[in-house]
């Protein structure tokens, strides 16, 4: 795949070769993310960061990734603060904002909206999540994390066993991640959710048609003996009402006791964040915060690397990043952690 000038809208754009291309560039970004040195390769470039749905990690991660490459960020947050609330079309918004920007990252609550926006954009658009549909950059950072975590114990993605837990119907992260994982070989998927929140049939069929083994269950106990446990929260914002979401909240909780009883000693715990730490939910308990196999914060850190790689690739500077290096004059302990 040629990335220069291209939109990143769906994981369906990638094959294993392009994934490894992204991951190699992401690894090259580590010295800049850990503040060992700086690069000004995108000095003067502007990111239009358009988030029409609530976000903390993804929005800040996109902005931080662009800043670390030397670029500047202009943000719009919330539908109510944009001209969309006045009836402006996505095409018109794209046409205008792309004239102000060199690249755009966008999140929107409606499925397919980012692709629709991209039609009107004159610069590359990166999908930061469109409703319950897709979240390609999250899927890439999740896959990057899985590869790194498994490598630490001498494993590879081929042949691994992953358990996905929680809201698999509305969780766009598991949809996109599953589409990427089906590119690998001999995987086992255990899909654990309430029957009403099961993984969509088309995604399950795509996994099975790619030659992988799938187990679907609504029972947590006895099904966590996996290499990766990918926990998710109930996607309250996708339900017709909070009352309906509350019917499922807290049904599948992972804590130290459950982990010790049902997981392998080296099972890696992942979560796309935010986790819901309210008492009635608490799908991933704080008593696991210091567990060495809890990868959720390493996962978030990896998001910076992957998004830096995508910006570098779409703007065609991936091979000259080091040409614009300079020293870091301030104190930082990031490289030691």
């Amino acid at each position: 795949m040629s990335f220069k000038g291209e939109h990143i809208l769906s994981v369906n754009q990638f094959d294993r070769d392009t994934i490894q291309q992204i991951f190699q560039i992401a690894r090259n970004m580590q010295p800049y993310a850990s503040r060992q040195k700086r690069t000004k390769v995108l000095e003067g470039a502007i990111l239009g960061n358009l988030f029409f749905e609530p976000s903390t990690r993804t929005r800040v991660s996109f902005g931080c990734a662009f800043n670390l490459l030397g670029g500047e960020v202009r943000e719009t947050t919330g539908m109510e603060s944009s001209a969309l609330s006045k009836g402006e079309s996505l095409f018109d918004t794209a046409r205008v904002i792309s004239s102000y920007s060199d690249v755009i990252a966008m999140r929107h609550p409606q499925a397919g909206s980012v692709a629709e926006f991209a039609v009107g954009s004159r610069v590359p658009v990166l999908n930061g999540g469109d409703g319950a549909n897709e979240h390609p950059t999250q899927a890439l950072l999740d896959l990057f994390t899985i590869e790194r975590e498994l490598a630490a114990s001498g494993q590879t993605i081929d042949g691994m066993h992953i358990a996905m837990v929680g809201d698999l119907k509305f969780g766009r992260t598991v949809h996109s991640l599953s589409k990427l994982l089906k590119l690998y070989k001999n995987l086992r998927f255990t899909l654990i959710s309430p029957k009403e929140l099961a993984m969509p049939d088309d995604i399950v069929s795509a996994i099975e048609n790619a030659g992988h083994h799938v187990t679907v269950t609504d029972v947590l106990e006895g099904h966590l003996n996996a290499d990766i446990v990918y926990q998710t929260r109930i996607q309250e914002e996708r339900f017709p009402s909070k009352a309906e979401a509350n019917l499922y909240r807290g049904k599948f909780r992972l804590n130290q006791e459950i982990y010790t009883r049902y997981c392998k000693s080296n099972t890696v715990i992942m979560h796309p964040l935010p986790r819901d730490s309210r008492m009635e939910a608490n799908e991933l308990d704080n008593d696991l915060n210091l567990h060495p196999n809890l990868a959720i914060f390493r996962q978030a850190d990896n998001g910076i690397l992957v998004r830096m790689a995508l910006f570098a690739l779409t703007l065609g500077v991936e091979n000259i990043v080091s040409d614009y290096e300079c020293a870091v004059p301030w104190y930082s302990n990031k490289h030691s952690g």
Side-chain angles (χ1 to χ4, degrees):
M1 175 181 174
S2 174
F3 287 90
K4 188 175 180 179
E6 295 295 322
H7 304 307
I8 305 295
L9 301 175
S10 170
V11 294
N12 294 329
Q13 295 173 241
F14 307 125
D15 58 22
R16 286 185 63 164
D17 288 340
T18 57
I19 289 169
Q20 286 308 312
Q21 181 184 0
I22 295 167
F23 287 0
Q24 182 55 56
I25 302 300
R27 286 188 285 268
N28 294 345
M29 297 299 174
Q30 187 68 63
Y32 312 110
S34 59
R35 311 302 197 273
Q36 295 174 43
K37 47 190 172 181
R38 291 188 293 156
T39 179
K40 296 181 179 181
V41 70
L42 291 184
E43 185 174 30
I46 295 174
L47 164 67
N49 216 21
L50 309 183
F51 275 70
F52 301 118
E53 189 177 49
S55 173
T56 302
R57 264 151 303 279
T58 304
R59 177 175 58 82
V60 176
S61 177
F62 269 115
C64 182
F66 204 73
N67 287 149
L68 287 169
L69 290 168
E72 299 180 13
V73 181
R74 301 291 183 267
E75 288 197 339
T76 293
T77 58
M79 198 78 73
E80 69 286 347
S81 64
S82 78
L84 293 174
S85 66
K86 302 175 183 178
E88 183 173 64
S89 69
L90 287 171
F91 181 90
D92 286 1
T93 301
R95 208 68 178 169
V96 173
I97 299 301
S98 62
S99 72
Y100 303 157
S101 311
D102 296 286
V103 63
I104 293 170
M106 180 181 173
R107 170 173 288 186
H108 194 283
Q110 296 177 356
S113 55
V114 181
E116 181 183 346
F117 177 92
V119 173
S121 177
R122 290 173 279 186
V123 300
V125 176
L126 278 63
N127 185 356
D130 60 326
N133 183 35
E134 280 215 52
H135 197 344
T137 66
Q138 179 72 44
L140 286 167
L141 75 88
D142 287 342
L143 192 66
F144 186 64
T145 301
I146 290 171
E147 183 178 84
R148 283 189 151 189
E149 296 292 324
L150 292 179
S153 58
Q155 296 176 265
T156 64
I157 296 176
D158 288 324
M160 78 158 185
H161 178 195
I162 184 169
M164 295 180 172
V165 185
D167 184 351
L168 307 185
K169 177 180 180 179
F170 296 118
R172 59 192 170 200
T173 61
V174 289
H175 298 170
S176 291
L177 178 58
S178 296
K179 291 175 183 178
L180 287 184
L181 286 173
K182 73 181 179 64
L183 299 173
Y184 292 78
K185 298 178 181 178
N186 303 317
L187 270 58
R188 292 174 57 201
F189 290 78
T190 300
L191 307 178
I192 307 168
S193 71
K195 289 184 173 66
E196 298 82 359
L197 301 181
M199 185 75 83
D201 290 341
D202 63 315
I203 296 178
V204 175
S205 295
I207 295 170
E208 291 177 329
N209 290 340
H212 306 295
H213 182 269
V214 180
T215 299
V216 178
T217 180
D218 60 356
V219 178
L220 186 70
E221 293 78 6
H223 293 98
L224 295 175
N225 189 33
D227 300 304
I228 305 287
V229 169
Y230 192 102
Q231 177 69 286
T232 67
R233 69 177 176 88
I234 298 300
Q235 303 285 304
E236 179 182 321
E237 63 272 24
R238 313 283 176 222
F239 284 79
S241 68
K242 182 177 180 180
E244 186 171 339
N246 285 340
L247 296 174
Y248 306 103
R249 208 185 307 275
K251 294 293 186 183
F252 296 105
R253 299 184 177 185
L254 181 59
N255 55 30
Q256 181 64 67
E257 180 184 358
I258 295 295
Y259 183 93
T260 301
R261 184 180 300 179
Y262 297 110
C263 295
K264 300 193 298 184
S265 61
N266 63 342
T267 295
V268 176
I269 307 165
M270 295 177 61
H271 190 300
L273 298 178
R275 55 176 166 170
D276 190 341
S277 295
R278 291 173 290 187
M279 186 178 298
E280 64 270 24
N282 202 30
E283 75 270 0
L284 185 55
D285 200 283
N286 287 330
D287 68 2
L288 287 165
N289 280 358
L290 300 181
H291 197 290
N293 295 336
L294 183 74
I296 62 174
F297 302 118
R298 296 190 291 273
Q299 196 176 348
D301 290 345
N302 288 337
I304 296 289
L305 303 177
V306 169
R307 291 179 177 119
M308 288 177 74
L310 290 172
F311 284 134
L313 286 160
T314 54
L315 293 177
V317 299
E318 71 276 11
N319 295 322
I320 59 171
V321 174
S322 61
D323 294 346
Y324 293 82
E325 285 180 357
C326 54
V328 175
W330 61 85
Y331 167 78
S332 175
N333 66 352
K334 290 183 180 291
H335 56 273
S336 61

